Amino acid sequence: MNDFLSYEFIDSSNCINTFDEAPLWSSRFGFLLLDNIKLKPNLTVIDLGSGTGFPLLEIAERLGNSSKIYGIDPWENANKKAKQKIKEYNLFNVEIIEQSAEKLPFKEKSVDLIVSNLGINNFKNKELILQECLRVLKINGKLAITTNLYGHWKEFYSIFESTLHECKYPYLIDNLHQEQIQRGTKENISKLFVNQGFSITNSIESQFTMNFLNGTAFLNHHFIKCGWLSSWFSLFPDSAIPKIFKKLEYNLNIYAEEHKQISLSIPMLFLEGKKL
Ligand SMILES: C[S@@+](CC[C@H](N)C(=O)[O-])C[C@H]1O[C@@H](n2cnc3c(N)ncnc32)[C@H](O)[C@@H]1O
């Protein structure tokens, strides 16, 4: 098994071509979204943060050719992958627009539905993006998002925090807390919607778990390395990283021995707002 400490995320075409495991994570949120949006004919739809094409292409195929769906994402390599799939699936009702959702290239009141699966935690300027959504939506148009919530992997973060204490870096714990609170709560995401002018029409909270044999398996899992490791590394000085992460791996392994595995909980939210 590769050593996770020497892993470096490189945003290259080759990396993205092996990225198809990612929808396994996205799919739990995607099902929550797909089960709760209303399908109708003749819709204009936007998927914000469409990444490698999920749920963009699934929605396009479920809606069929009377609707048009646009994927907005600034991530060049992910968009390339989404375009390959559009070609491969022979879809004519989808278009990828490579840019940030902070400025949507649509006229006022021209869109019926905006969705975003796991986008909101990644948007730096959430308020601006929601304002843009409000501008382009028709009256009664809907914005429907799914996201993981604060409390995500709380079992892991609790071990991470005690590891920082043990390593005599208690002053770095605040960095870890800052990373955790980037994930919202149902209350503060709903407030964000309402403050930007949306009326909440539906909200559903749910939860699932991810199990790993132990900390070594967790930290070396390619999706953990690709999706999370560099953001954890960025929280600490370079010189402290080997000590912290070796101790973290050890502590996760001790926990796994005691509990027979590591079971991590993921709280999630479907939130839908309407433009009045
Ligand atoms: C966690 S990924 C989710 C991708 C996909 N929707 C899925 O479910 O697998 C978040 C996506 O948001 C995109 N993103 C980040 N900032 C953005 C912005 N300002 N506007 C549009 N997309 C953005 C990222 O490039 C990334 O593709």
Side-chain angles (χ1 to χ4, degrees), residues 19 22-23 25-27 29-30 47-56 72-75 78 99-102 116-120 122-125 129:
F19 202 64
W25 161 255
S26 306
S27 66
F29 300 86
D47 180 9
L48 302 177
S50 46
T52 57
F54 183 79
L56 174 72
I72 310 270
D73 201 304
W75 189 6
Q99 62 166 77
S100 166
E102 288 172 17
S116 188
N117 194 54
L118 290 168
I120 194 142
N122 295 274
F123 300 157
K124 284 205 185 78
N125 199 338
I129 290 180

Side-chain angles (χ1 to χ4, degrees), residues 55-190:
L56 174 72
L57 307 187
E58 187 63 29
I59 294 175
E61 295 204 89
R62 289 188 186 203
L63 281 172
N65 283 339
S66 74
S67 294
K68 178 86 194 251
I69 175 156
Y70 300 86
I72 310 270
D73 201 304
W75 189 6
E76 187 185 351
N77 279 320
N79 289 333
K80 266 189 208 158
K81 179 83 176 176
K83 283 178 189 167
Q84 281 170 9
K85 291 181 192 167
I86 292 171
K87 197 168 166 215
E88 186 65 25
Y89 302 170
N90 210 19
L91 299 180
F92 296 98
N93 59 342
V94 198
E95 197 178 309
I96 305 284
I97 303 174
E98 191 163 292
Q99 62 166 77
S100 166
E102 288 172 17
K103 183 90 194 86
L104 293 173
F106 296 88
K107 288 197 185 123
E108 260 179 50
K109 299 185 186 163
S110 59
V111 174
D112 300 282
L113 172 67
I114 302 178
V115 299
S116 188
N117 194 54
L118 290 168
I120 194 142
N121 285 343
N122 295 274
F123 300 157
K124 284 205 185 78
N125 199 338
K126 300 177 184 30
E127 287 82 3
L128 189 57
I129 290 180
L130 290 196
Q131 274 169 35
E132 271 296 270
C133 291
L134 199 70
R135 181 183 69 78
V136 303
L137 277 172
K138 296 176 185 170
I139 304 293
N140 293 326
K142 299 259 178 78
L143 169 64
I145 65 146
T146 51
T147 185
N148 49 336
L149 292 171
Y150 180 75
H152 157 106
W153 291 350
K154 63 180 189 296
E155 303 83 358
F156 164 76
Y157 281 99
S158 160
I159 297 170
F160 209 157
E161 187 171 328
S162 47
T163 300
L164 290 173
H165 270 293
E166 273 180 61
C167 290
K168 310 265 182 284
Y169 292 127
Y171 54 94
L172 294 176
I173 289 172
D174 192 47
N175 296 359
L176 194 63
H177 288 166
Q178 292 306 320
E179 195 256 355
Q180 286 173 273
I181 61 169
Q182 281 170 20
R183 294 169 202 117
T185 60
K186 177 184 156 184
E187 290 68 32
N188 65 25
I189 302 170
S190 303

